[in-house]
Amino acid sequence: MAAKVLADMGGGQSLMAAAWMAHCGVKARVVDKRNAKIYSGQADGLQCRSLEIFDSLGFGDRAWKEANHMIEICMWNPGQDGVIRRSDRIPDTIVGLSRFQQVVLHQGRIERFFLDNIKKHSHDSIKIERGVLPASLRIDESDVDREDAYPVTVELQHLSEEESTPKQQISGSKVADGLFRSSLNHENDEEELIAHGSRAGERETVHAKYVLGCDGARSWTRRQLGFELQGEATDFIWGVMDVIPVTDFPDIRMRCAIHSAENGSLMVIPRENKLVRLYIQLKEVAPDASGRADRSKITPDLIFGAAKKILQPYKLDYEYCDWWTAYQIGQRVGTDFASRNRVFLAGDAVHTHSPKAGQGMNVSMQDTFNLGWKIALVSKGIANPKILSTYADERRQVAQDLIDFDHRFSRLFSGRPAKDVMDAEGVSMEEFKDAFLKGNMFASGLSVKYGASELVAPDASRQSLATGLTVGMRFNSFKVLNQADARPWHFQERLKADGRFRVVLFAGNILEAGQRSRVDKFSARLESEQSFIRRAKSPEAPIDSVIEVLTIHSSRRTDTELLRDFPEILHPFNKSTGWNYDKVFVDDDSYHEGFGDAYKNYGVDKERGCVVAVRPDQYVAWVGDVDDFDGLQNYFEGCLRLNGKTRDL
Amino acid sequence: MAAKVLADMGGGQSLMAAAWMAHCGVKARVVDKRNAKIYSGQADGLQCRSLEIFDSLGFGDRAWKEANHMIEICMWNPGQDGVIRRSDRIPDTIVGLSRFQQVVLHQGRIERFFLDNIKKHSHDSIKIERGVLPASLRIDESDVDREDAYPVTVELQHLSEEESTPKQQISGSKVADGLFRSSLNHENDEEELIAHGSRAGERETVHAKYVLGCDGARSWTRRQLGFELQGEATDFIWGVMDVIPVTDFPDIRMRCAIHSAENGSLMVIPRENKLVRLYIQLKEVAPDASGRADRSKITPDLIFGAAKKILQPYKLDYEYCDWWTAYQIGQRVGTDFASRNRVFLAGDAVHTHSPKAGQGMNVSMQDTFNLGWKIALVSKGIANPKILSTYADERRQVAQDLIDFDHRFSRLFSGRPAKDVMDAEGVSMEEFKDAFLKGNMFASGLSVKYGASELVAPDASRQSLATGLTVGMRFNSFKVLNQADARPWHFQERLKADGRFRVVLFAGNILEAGQRSRVDKFSARLESEQSFIRRAKSPEAPIDSVIEVLTIHSSRRTDTELLRDFPEILHPFNKSTGWNYDKVFVDDDSYHEGFGDAYKNYGVDKERGCVVAVRPDQYVAWVGDVDDFDGLQNYFEGCLRLNGKTRDL
């Protein structure tokens, strides 16, 4: 059995990788030692950026529709009398940052969206194989640099149902708990969970070009590679409960950060279906001398009792609990993210932190959203293999930022509020609010900026041509109209995750003769035999197979006509289906959805325009002048194989 | 076999009826003599109102996502030189009318959305039975007034696959055509199509409370009842083709109304997947002395040849044709819409007209959207059976308006354009544009106004309390915020098609003591044992089972608190799930989606508010003062059975 990619399942990140393989037509297998999909209760906040990514895959709307939308954060702190009261309201998502705002949704639903999407785009060929455990992993060092080689050998063991079903902490309990995968578990607990019983199951050997380890904080893949997580646990122990609360607390449907005077802190995360997630500081449970907490002491009653105390004088009760767990806050980052650019680690396998920052699933999924298309394009001969090393560089920085953010936030949130300015041991509520506001930008997922590499042009001298499109950051979205049918689109909707790079030609004022001449010259270069768009694809493939050119102009829509005013290469002709009507857009007022003001928001000159190259994952790769075709050609020569021999997407 | 409702399948209208039964938990069967779902090519414009209705059922987003959005209408007319040129651009949907705009989508997709929705809401119990033909229908007159009776007996015949597959006009053609169901077919053509072959299939007898005939222009059900369609065919013959055009016509992705000087008229309807529907006037085919056209003369070449002539000097070609048909324009309305309020006719069975007005599927689906909930609520003992007679009254007027609109529009569109003001035989292009603009309001589906009845309060004296909510018209939608979590909602999103009536309490300025006292008094009456909301449901059912109370207030969100400022009945308590957080809304600014200005747009006084009763189909039923609880109680006493003995929804 040979496979391009083998992802060991650990939640969203392996499904994200599988989605890329499905969208790019790359053969892949996904194996998961567990036999069931997501367990009850697991939910997570979805960052703006995660929703944008879901939208690029085709299911952002499903998540947006089903999720609970968090609009406002309310901060509660003790007053002079020691009684908690609301001290602040701030928007949960910074206004204007994205077309989405942060929401919360059960992970099982997100898995469902991924599975449907993978099924559709892989034409049923990529399936998640459950109850399958990797038993050995070997990299053939002599083959790692041969592009057509399958240098990674993995032995897989097929488990029985009993072996692959995780056990609940409290047997007989009707409420699902998550302690078996909590950070309070010991290193080998989970191994014991699945390693007992007969090992008589079937075995098979898989030869893979690439292997992804998305197998969690106790990553088997990481241990095979001999890599480690580095960092420390803190003394802070937190409980988590998903309940339908019965309460007179007025902000129970808001996201709340509550510091009580003496009883610890509580975070309220309202969820779908009347559920509310409570993150509850457990002051009565402390780690022992070895730094570990006795998890046997932690029960729903203990956790909920702590929540009740924190929320006094408000009453808090519940009849229905959906799920509960507990964890010890710690921040760790992996020593290495990849081995020989053939085996990669993602998600909790290379960064762990506390869940209540709401970042976990997001950053993990974004790891493989960064990696997946690179593997797909390299394995198809489209991209140069050296782009694979950008994965570790780009994502290690994000992981480090996340850990730093979590460290600061956890300390401020777990600390006792200062009684007054003289109370040096207490946490200043002003400092906490300030950290929260700053954290909000980070928590959107939109502050990520990738450094210079083969994929991100190092020359920032042309950044002034598009001040709203920072090289290395994601391509922001504003509304533009389709020139041919006047329909408004958020421009990001046109940057689908299909593996293609894109060149966005801000054509400026196309009706001005000088500008038209510049656009004509640019288009003539695009048309030429030596053009990167031709040489990135096989000769028989359509012109937009690997790199798509999209145009946004700034003249008035009704003064311009697609066929008359725009060079053919910008709306290519096909003898069976005629002209392409989906590639030229205009920055103009719409009838029903207002004016996106795209040139202004992107910071592009309305007369002279500019050109922007965009990576398949929507990150801005290069900004240049309409005259600088050579610079653009250079960019693509640096990351793609412009030999006209690729297998097309 | 006993069933509440038996709908003979004819497209969207029977599925709409089935959706109501699914949403209201009423047992139903749907039979269709054909064995396949929708044929290639059939597509229709979806009115704003149809999209609002889909949204109330839960799948408006799916239609909106997949459809082609039509934004602009371009009118093309001959200039002085006789050559066509664009004379006007107008928005396809009147700006500000609805949160949706008119779109076009393949009927097969709409059927799919309905089937998924019916499956989900009926818990798989309502299925579409295909290849089943009704053979006889009998109403037991002695039982029609007994509420628990099943007075309609229908014999069903199960067909073989061969019997239930419609034949194509041109055998061997790879392109699907729709001539077999075109108006050019003779009355008995379709009967022959299915009646031949063995009649040896299984038979069964069904006893039903109600039967709906949604069986098209040659409705078998209508003929069993002895009812007729009245009206006339015209001399105008039109062809229809769905092609991927290869053309240099600049507005091929706009909706276009094109009058050529001498070669007839053409309507362009851009569709999804690069397809364009062309409605093409066929001047070379005329009806014979009997008023019928010889359909054997009509071929794709003839139709497309006519289109090419009309579009000169632009070039028009195609390689791919998805579907084609032809029809003779005629307008007919049924003599009767129902028999004994036990057997009902809907859609083409009671109104036929030309397809290019884009109204067909919409008005037909809206027939059963009007009828379905009435049958459901009567069959459950919730509503008084006399409300069933409002179906014919309400929908006959709509059918007549449609026929009048189509008559005028078809005449103007099929006529030769006037050469100048002296050309009395020609059609004035100014008059055409005027008709188009007026027609746009009608074509949105939002101009429907139902007359006074048990379901629409006759007293219009209180209309001034809510000038933007006309009694008898659909409840318009503006954005409001949920009081508890600040999330913006289009208010119409809260008016789901679940069979419930709603009382919308515009609570006004709840922080003003006098107003608070009025709201308290209204709420106390709602709470009382005699209140219509209690008496409309069984004692054990939740308070909002049949009638839901939703509140919109106009004080500032952050100045008010749900539990402190609003009487309990407005956010009812449940001991398992706590307070209800989904019933109180505020007209205030949002962080991310602007200010809906709902009070202003609904024309309601921000201080004193008002009360509005809304039917399950979102039509405004009653408007009154916050003090006029008795008037509201009277409204519900007129249409519901307030005996506390109903079977709940």
Side-chain angles (χ1 to χ4, degrees), chain B residues 354-542:
Chain B
S354 55
K356 82 184 162 307
Q359 299 300 304
M361 184 173 59
N362 296 278
V363 175
S364 294
M365 286 191 304
Q366 286 164 33
D367 283 347
T368 47
F369 189 70
N370 179 289
L371 176 60
W373 63 272
K374 296 174 184 172
I375 288 178
L377 266 57
V378 169
S379 80
K380 291 202 146 193
I382 293 171
N384 191 315
K386 68 189 175 187
I387 72 167
L388 293 173
S389 60
T390 63
Y391 168 67
D393 294 340
E394 291 179 346
R395 297 309 296 178
R396 175 193 301 285
Q397 186 59 50
V398 174
Q400 193 59 53
D401 291 347
L402 169 63
I403 264 59
D404 295 345
F405 165 74
D406 186 51
H407 184 75
R408 175 144 189 261
F409 183 76
S410 293
R411 187 181 60 79
L412 289 171
F413 196 45
S414 300
R416 175 181 59 74
K419 293 193 174 71
D420 52 44
V421 287
M422 300 299 291
D423 180 6
E425 275 188 18
V427 171
S428 150
M429 289 299 99
E430 279 308 303
E431 189 188 352
F432 177 73
K433 184 187 171 187
D434 185 55
F436 217 110
L437 283 168
K438 284 193 186 128
N440 245 5
M441 181 66 205
F442 180 80
S444 70
L446 298 173
S447 61
V448 168
K449 184 182 174 188
Y450 295 142
S453 70
E454 288 83 6
L455 288 169
V456 177
D459 176 12
S461 64
R462 308 310 289 162
Q463 183 65 69
S464 61
L465 294 171
T467 54
L469 289 167
T470 306
V471 174
M473 296 183 81
R474 79 90 166 77
F475 201 105
N476 200 356
S477 191
F478 301 101
K479 281 194 179 165
V480 293
L481 310 186
N482 182 309
Q483 172 68 31
D485 65 11
R487 176 171 177 181
W489 292 93
H490 251 292
F491 190 66
Q492 214 181 42
E493 294 181 83
R494 310 312 299 174
L495 308 177
K496 288 291 176 210
D498 54 15
R500 291 189 291 179
F501 282 77
R502 288 186 176 81
V503 170
V504 181
L505 169 60
F506 286 89
N509 180 6
I510 195 74
L511 295 180
E512 194 277 314
Q515 181 65 9
R516 170 65 194 256
S517 154
R518 295 172 75 219
V519 169
D520 283 348
K521 276 182 202 149
F522 179 83
S523 300
R525 295 287 303 274
L526 275 180
E527 274 280 18
S528 76
E529 286 305 312
Q530 287 307 304
S531 155
F532 58 90
I533 57 170
R534 285 197 191 282
R535 286 172 51 217
K537 68 179 190 69
S538 62
E540 60 277 9

Side-chain angles (χ1 to χ4, degrees), chain A residues 157-286:
Chain A
Q157 180 189 352
H158 293 257
L159 303 178
S160 70
E161 185 157 350
E162 189 200 4
E163 289 170 321
S164 55
T165 304
K167 292 228 171 22
Q168 293 288 310
Q169 175 80 348
I170 301 180
S171 61
S173 165
K174 276 189 291 189
V175 176
D177 74 72
L179 287 186
F180 66 90
R181 62 191 311 233
S182 151
S183 62
L184 297 179
N185 255 12
H186 295 207
E187 193 73 29
N188 58 349
D189 285 352
E190 198 166 10
E191 289 316 292
E192 285 166 13
L193 203 65
I194 48 151
H196 72 95
S198 150
R199 292 177 66 90
E202 193 193 325
R203 284 201 170 215
E204 69 172 314
T205 301
V206 178
H207 299 285
K209 280 192 160 182
Y210 303 98
V211 168
L212 271 64
C214 304
D215 46 354
R218 287 179 293 277
S219 169
W220 174 89
T221 314
R222 188 184 66 227
R223 280 178 282 135
Q224 300 309 301
L225 298 173
F227 300 158
E228 287 178 7
L229 287 183
Q230 292 181 331
E232 282 181 7
T234 68
D235 287 352
F236 303 124
I237 310 237
W238 286 71
V240 187
M241 287 187 84
D242 282 321
V243 299
I244 298 181
V246 179
T247 182
D248 58 358
F249 179 66
D251 289 346
I252 196 69
R253 296 302 305 171
M254 298 293 188
R255 186 167 160 210
C256 294
I258 304 164
H259 277 92
S260 73
E262 301 290 346
N263 295 314
S265 297
L266 172 69
M267 178 166 284
V268 177
I269 307 278
R271 285 186 51 190
E272 69 280 16
N273 300 327
K274 299 181 191 291
L275 286 166
V276 172
R277 165 158 298 183
L278 302 173
Y279 288 102
I280 305 143
Q281 189 174 7
L282 302 180
K283 301 201 86 165
E284 293 173 24
V285 190

Side-chain angles (χ1 to χ4, degrees), chain B residues 479-481 553 555-558 586-590 594-597:
Chain B
K479 281 194 179 165
V480 293
L481 310 186
H553 74 91
S555 304
R556 283 196 58 195
R557 176 178 65 84
T558 53
V586 54
D587 181 25
D588 202 349
D589 202 13
S590 75
F595 183 26
D597 232 344

Side-chain angles (χ1 to χ4, degrees), chain A residues 72 86 319 557 561 591, chain B residues 72 86 557 561 576 591:
Chain A
E72 195 169 74
R86 186 195 302 117
E319 278 197 8
R557 176 178 66 83
E561 283 193 2
Y591 287 120
Chain B
E72 193 170 75
R86 185 195 302 116
R557 176 178 65 84
E561 284 192 3
S576 301
Y591 287 120

